[in-house]
Amino acid sequence: MSSESTDTAHEDAPSQEIVDQILERSAWARAAAPELARAGRDRKDATLGAMADAVRAASVSVLEANREDMVRGDEAGTSGALLDRLRLDEDRLEALALALESLAGLPDPVGSVVRGGDLPNGIHMTQVRVPLGVVGAVYEARPNVTVDIAGIALKSGNAVILRGGSAAERTNTVLIQVLREAVRGQGFDPNLIQGIDDLGRPGVAALMATRGSVDVLVPRGGRELIQRVVREARVPVIETGEGNVHLYLDATAPVEMAVDVAVNAKTHRTSVCNAAETLLIHEDAAEAGREVLRALLRAGVLLHLDAGARALLPPEHDRGPDPRDPVDATEEDWGREYLDLEMAVRTVSSIDEAMEHIRRWSTGHTEAIVTNDLGSADRFVTEVDAAAVIVNASTRFTDGGQLGLGAEVGISTQRMHARGPMGLDELTTTKWVLRGTGQVRR
Amino acid sequence: MSSESTDTAHEDAPSQEIVDQILERSAWARAAAPELARAGRDRKDATLGAMADAVRAASVSVLEANREDMVRGDEAGTSGALLDRLRLDEDRLEALALALESLAGLPDPVGSVVRGGDLPNGIHMTQVRVPLGVVGAVYEARPNVTVDIAGIALKSGNAVILRGGSAAERTNTVLIQVLREAVRGQGFDPNLIQGIDDLGRPGVAALMATRGSVDVLVPRGGRELIQRVVREARVPVIETGEGNVHLYLDATAPVEMAVDVAVNAKTHRTSVCNAAETLLIHEDAAEAGREVLRALLRAGVLLHLDAGARALLPPEHDRGPDPRDPVDATEEDWGREYLDLEMAVRTVSSIDEAMEHIRRWSTGHTEAIVTNDLGSADRFVTEVDAAAVIVNASTRFTDGGQLGLGAEVGISTQRMHARGPMGLDELTTTKWVLRGTGQVRR
């Protein structure tokens, strides 16, 4: 099995045959899309229900394919964390079926009116949401994303081309086949859902390079994957997920709130993009800072401390054989997305210094402040430039489900088209519809 | 003077010095932007007023620089149409000043709430509009765009980097200096408005290639310019303007309405992207078709006819020495954006054939139908994929001013971020703002 991370561009270069395959499949997807784009909500919701039923009915073959992928991965020395992401079981399959059913319960974004009214000349104007067309998704070793994105694409009226990575190839192949049959059973063209795992990494390269193949490409996964897609793609991309998230304890940060928010932001789930990675402590918030550091240590967090932060801790935390004992922060720590029980800590002498640090190191995902000062809260909200800015709550709330979007395609860290958690609306574009009675321009 | 259209990529390749210049100026713009992004509407509107006053006060030096550009252009054999676009006079300058003042009258897009409310856990959530950051504009020989885009950028809270083309270099240099002084006079950093005409075409190449230099690049101008930017840019681009616009006369098209709409769509202004280029006539709309063709001939339109359309015209239109006499349409005509008093005409036997032709040849800008059949109107609106679909009105209504947007940045023909006429909102992105009281995720 080839490594997912060490291939060079040369090894990925697609042959003409692979480019032709990508063009052919995207043409199939494009031909299948208009009927779905016009379909009413009832028909789409019935199809989502059929997809859920099909996933349940196929559990034996899906789980068998998944076991084969697991065995292959184990033999290839895949890490335990990756194997866990790859693994499906009855419970996880049922969760996927339930997610499809919950999509059916969400409002249909297609046809919703963004703005409208009658123009002075009597023309009735509406700007309505329509599907983007063909959505490409590139992700890594998580077969649940296959079902998730297929359902979201269907609900938003888009055809989808899926690349789930070689590690989950057998599972994805079976899942895509099951979903295609369910779609066909509802009278839709099964080419609405297509996989390209069989084309390997050259297939991804061809998908990214071929303008017109997909209307938008959404990479979901680790930093390396996303950066590669952003760097190499010649089709429109929505950049997702990289989060070097800061939590700033302002001078007036209430102690208990600071502890609750910091521990939750760092430890509630560590491998996610909205987990906090750097703690900034105002030098006047010494008590809050000390209590937060103690709580993080108790939670098993490896702290990377600057001199000011180290001074907050009593000496007994400063030595000993425990590998979780704090270490000195280096410049490199400010840029690291640990995605683990680790955190960088820096003290600052003002909110300006905190915001300057954030300006320098933020990936524009989520930035948070804990404060009891209204002026500080307002300045932070106005001046910090990120997809989400949070006052007095955990950074973990930057999440489509938490914000009520229902479904989440990913969290955009770019400025164009969509920023922050993306729901069904973000997989649509708009169309201006003008209905007149013979009006002309004078 | 080097031609704007024949340079090769090799001639445009920027030196390191030019790349450094682009990086330096975009860094200045980025440093200047936050204060404008936070400025209230009153201060921005006052600045727009000061910009208008400054343009009026500088009319002598602006018009003198413009005369120098005109003389240079004339000596270089520039076409009359291009010279007319280049030319400024007292009236045109006054129109530019008035446009700046009218921008002051428009609502401020920054801070407007896209959606919001309280989450079940008590967090108050809003998604608010914020500026994109630094906007790049590349256009051709139209000094009015310099003032126009500078004003739109200022109102929407963005810094702007302008490239107006060598033909208008002296005029643009004076205008940019005047606008910068006006901005400085209001206490803003003048680096909010910068030109790069002095860096020539390599400057454009460097601007397009340097990720992070601008947050979005908007090309405004001819097809060649836009295609070049879309093809070569490594920064986000909003594709504008190319319009191979179709007008379809359905079987039930009322004769008088068909004539009014077709003549207006083709002849009201020919050099614009929302002018109609191809007329499709249902074979059952013979009378409407015949009257429309006659009216177009009377208006001096050179018709490119298929056999069915030719059969609609009496023989006297079929010969003679008049160079405006109809000619036979070729396959090539279906793809041409004439931008002139010319039109391709094809007869079809059904709305499906009309929509199939549109699907094949549309640039996704504007498509229109004239019909008295509700089913045809609904099908056309639903099934035709374009930024604007119009029933029973002229294609010329795809225009920010006509649709009430107030200001127009351009007309996007892409699907991502903005589609159709772009106003001030389309130069913004959003920020999710969450205000809590210590909420954490369980």
Side-chain angles (χ1 to χ4, degrees):
Chain A
M1 195 181 90
S2 73
S3 156
E4 287 285 297
S5 57
T6 57
D7 306 48
T8 65
H10 176 257
E11 288 175 80
D12 291 346
S15 63
Q16 188 58 45
E17 191 186 338
I18 289 199
V19 171
D20 289 345
Q21 272 290 318
I22 291 291
L23 285 171
E24 186 170 25
R25 292 185 204 184
S26 57
W28 290 339
R30 208 163 285 287
E35 191 189 352
L36 177 64
R38 294 194 294 274
R41 177 173 170 183
D42 51 351
R43 208 176 148 206
K44 291 194 288 188
D45 290 350
T47 304
L48 288 164
M51 289 162 73
D53 292 344
V55 166
R56 289 191 184 101
S59 67
V60 171
S61 55
V62 171
L63 295 181
E64 186 177 312
N66 188 245
R67 270 189 298 274
E68 291 175 26
D69 281 332
M70 295 285 289
V71 168
R72 269 199 315 149
D74 196 38
E75 288 170 3
T78 305
S79 77
L82 201 70
L83 284 179
D84 183 61
R85 295 196 330 207
L86 175 58
R87 189 175 59 83
L88 289 180
D89 56 25
E90 287 286 352
D91 287 350
R92 289 186 178 184
L93 267 189
E94 177 58 23
L96 287 174
L98 287 172
L100 289 169
E101 286 166 350
S102 82
L103 277 169
L106 293 177
D108 190 344
V110 176
S112 78
V113 175
V114 178
R115 51 187 156 186
D118 289 334
L119 301 180
N121 60 14
I123 290 177
H124 181 68
M125 177 269 282
T126 50
Q127 187 184 19
V128 299
R129 290 200 183 281
V130 296
L132 278 172
V134 181
V135 174
V138 181
Y139 46 99
E140 289 167 328
R142 294 178 63 173
N144 61 310
V145 176
T146 302
V147 179
D148 203 23
I149 295 275
I152 290 172
L154 191 116
K155 179 80 185 199
S156 56
N158 293 288
V160 71
I161 295 180
L162 301 161
R163 153 68 183 181
S166 54
E169 186 174 340
R170 290 176 200 202
T171 316
N172 285 332
T173 301
V174 175
L175 280 173
I176 288 172
Q177 190 53 35
V178 165
L179 296 171
R180 283 170 60 95
E181 284 308 316
V183 163
R184 189 203 304 270
Q186 298 294 311
F188 285 115
D189 184 337
N191 286 322
L192 288 173
I193 303 172
Q194 292 180 71
I196 57 164
D197 278 343
D198 58 310
L199 304 180
R201 286 172 64 98
V204 187
L207 187 72
M208 293 195 303
T210 310
R211 284 192 76 88
S213 61
V214 294
D215 293 296
V216 62
L217 191 59
V218 183
R220 267 175 68 157
R223 174 182 190 159
E224 201 171 338
L225 170 73
I226 290 164
Q227 287 304 314
R228 177 179 166 225
V229 173
V230 168
R231 195 173 57 241
E232 296 180 15
R234 301 303 288 151
V235 299
V237 170
I238 296 181
E239 193 174 347
T240 67
E242 196 181 342
N244 185 18
V245 172
H246 299 78
L247 176 66
Y248 166 56
L249 307 184
D250 194 32
T252 61
V255 176
E256 197 181 337
M257 190 192 290
V259 171
D260 287 350
V261 168
V263 171
N264 192 260
K266 179 67 257 181
T267 71
H268 181 257
R269 220 177 130 196
T270 55
S271 65
V272 289
C273 56
N274 58 16
E277 304 292 4
T278 295
L279 180 70
L280 300 169
I281 306 174
H282 192 291
E283 59 188 19
D284 293 345
E287 191 197 343
R290 181 176 302 113
E291 293 307 317
V292 165
L293 295 183
R294 281 178 170 162
L296 290 171
L297 286 170
R298 277 195 301 273
V301 177
L302 172 57
L303 299 174
H304 300 255
L305 303 172
D306 78 343
R310 193 170 278 277
L312 291 175
L313 282 179
E316 69 264 27
H317 285 292
D318 208 7
R319 50 186 158 70
D322 188 337
R324 292 273 115 182
D325 267 4
V327 296
D328 288 338
T330 65
E331 180 86 355
E332 196 196 331
D333 284 307
W334 311 136
R336 283 186 64 190
E337 192 181 358
Y338 298 110
L339 297 173
D340 207 340
L341 276 177
E342 286 189 62
M343 194 171 212
V345 186
R346 184 182 162 186
T347 44
V348 294
S349 60
S350 66
I351 186 174
D352 293 278
E353 194 181 336
M355 292 196 297
E356 183 52 41
H357 180 98
I358 291 170
R359 189 152 34 242
R360 169 75 184 81
W361 296 103
S362 173
T363 53
H365 187 295
T366 297
E367 306 299 346
I369 182 175
V370 175
T371 186
N372 195 36
D373 184 284
L374 183 57
S376 291
D378 288 347
R379 280 197 64 194
F380 196 86
V381 163
T382 308
E383 298 181 31
V384 170
D385 185 28
V389 286
I390 298 181
V391 179
N392 294 342
S394 171
T395 59
R396 292 275 293 128
F397 287 110
T398 305
D399 174 278
Q402 295 293 317
L403 298 181
L405 301 188
E408 184 179 283
V409 183
I411 296 178
S412 163
T413 52
Q414 67 182 37
R415 308 177 82 79
M416 302 280 291
H417 188 73
R419 196 178 191 210
M422 295 187 290
L424 294 168
D425 281 358
E426 284 69 28
L427 284 189
T428 67
T429 181
T430 60
K431 178 194 272 190
W432 295 83
V433 177
L434 276 58
R435 290 178 183 257
T437 51
Q439 284 85 348
V440 296
R441 272 183 75 175
R442 302 296 173 196
Chain B
M1 196 181 89
S2 74
S3 157
E4 287 284 297
S5 58
T6 58
D7 306 49
T8 65
H10 175 259
E11 289 174 80
D12 291 347
S15 62
Q16 188 57 46
E17 191 187 339
I18 288 199
V19 171
D20 289 345
Q21 272 291 319
I22 291 290
L23 285 171
E24 187 171 25
R25 292 186 204 184
S26 58
W28 290 339
R30 208 163 285 287
E35 190 189 354
L36 177 64
R38 293 194 295 273
R41 178 175 168 182
D42 52 351
R43 208 175 148 207
K44 291 195 287 188
D45 290 350
T47 303
L48 288 164
M51 289 162 74
D53 293 344
V55 166
R56 288 192 184 100
S59 67
V60 171
S61 55
V62 172
L63 294 182
E64 186 177 312
N66 188 246
R67 269 190 300 274
E68 290 175 27
D69 280 334
M70 294 286 289
V71 168
R72 270 198 315 149
D74 197 36
E75 287 170 2
T78 305
S79 76
L82 201 71
L83 283 179
D84 183 62
R85 295 196 328 206
L86 176 57
R87 188 175 60 83
L88 289 180
D89 56 27
E90 287 287 352
D91 287 350
R92 290 187 178 184
L93 267 188
E94 177 58 23
L96 287 174
L98 287 171
L100 288 169
E101 286 166 349
S102 84
L103 277 169
L106 293 176
D108 191 344
V110 176
S112 77
V113 175
V114 178
R115 50 187 157 186
D118 288 334
L119 301 180
N121 59 14
I123 290 179
H124 181 69
M125 176 270 283
T126 50
Q127 187 185 19
V128 298
R129 291 200 183 280
V130 295
L132 277 172
V134 181
V135 174
V138 180
Y139 47 99
E140 289 167 328
R142 296 178 61 173
N144 61 311
V145 176
T146 302
V147 178
D148 204 23
I149 296 274
I152 289 172
L154 191 116
K155 179 79 185 199
S156 56
N158 292 288
V160 71
I161 294 180
L162 301 161
R163 153 67 183 181
S166 53
E169 187 173 340
R170 290 176 199 202
T171 316
N172 285 333
T173 301
V174 174
L175 281 172
I176 289 171
Q177 190 54 36
V178 165
L179 295 171
R180 283 170 61 94
E181 285 308 316
V183 163
R184 189 203 304 272
Q186 298 294 309
F188 284 115
D189 184 337
N191 286 321
L192 288 173
I193 302 173
Q194 291 180 71
I196 57 164
D197 280 342
D198 58 310
L199 303 180
R201 286 173 63 99
V204 187
L207 186 72
M208 294 195 302
T210 311
R211 283 192 76 89
S213 61
V214 293
D215 293 296
V216 60
L217 190 59
V218 183
R220 267 175 66 156
R223 175 181 189 160
E224 201 170 338
L225 171 73
I226 291 164
Q227 287 305 313
R228 177 178 167 226
V229 173
V230 168
R231 198 174 53 241
E232 296 180 15
R234 299 304 289 153
V235 299
V237 170
I238 295 182
E239 191 174 348
T240 67
E242 196 182 334
N244 186 19
V245 172
H246 299 79
L247 176 66
Y248 165 56
L249 306 185
D250 193 32
T252 61
V255 176
E256 197 180 337
M257 190 191 289
V259 171
D260 288 351
V261 168
V263 170
N264 192 261
K266 179 67 257 182
T267 71
H268 181 256
R269 219 175 130 198
T270 55
S271 64
V272 290
C273 57
N274 59 16
E277 304 292 7
T278 295
L279 180 70
L280 299 170
I281 304 174
H282 192 291
E283 60 188 18
D284 293 345
E287 192 196 342
R290 182 176 300 113
E291 293 308 315
V292 165
L293 295 183
R294 281 178 171 161
L296 291 170
L297 286 170
R298 277 195 302 274
V301 177
L302 172 57
L303 298 174
H304 300 255
L305 302 172
D306 79 342
R310 194 170 277 276
L312 291 175
L313 281 179
E316 70 265 25
H317 285 291
D318 209 6
R319 52 188 153 70
D322 187 337
R324 291 273 116 182
D325 267 5
V327 297
D328 288 338
T330 65
E331 182 86 355
E332 196 196 330
D333 284 306
W334 311 135
R336 283 185 63 190
E337 192 182 358
Y338 298 109
L339 296 173
D340 207 340
L341 276 177
E342 285 189 63
M343 194 169 211
V345 187
R346 184 181 162 188
T347 44
V348 294
S349 60
S350 66
I351 186 173
D352 293 278
E353 195 181 338
M355 293 196 297
E356 184 51 42
H357 180 99
I358 291 170
R359 189 154 34 242
R360 170 74 184 80
W361 296 104
S362 173
T363 53
H365 187 296
T366 298
E367 305 299 346
I369 183 175
V370 176
T371 187
N372 195 36
D373 184 283
L374 183 57
S376 291
D378 288 347
R379 280 197 64 195
F380 195 86
V381 162
T382 308
E383 298 181 30
V384 171
D385 184 27
V389 286
I390 298 181
V391 178
N392 294 341
S394 172
T395 58
R396 293 274 294 126
F397 287 109
T398 306
D399 174 279
Q402 295 292 318
L403 298 181
L405 300 188
E408 185 179 283
V409 184
I411 296 179
S412 163
T413 53
Q414 69 182 34
R415 307 177 82 81
M416 303 281 289
H417 187 72
R419 196 179 191 207
M422 295 187 290
L424 294 169
D425 281 357
E426 283 70 27
L427 284 189
T428 66
T429 181
T430 60
K431 178 193 271 190
W432 295 83
V433 177
L434 275 59
R435 289 176 183 259
T437 50
Q439 284 86 347
V440 296
R441 273 183 75 175
R442 301 297 173 196

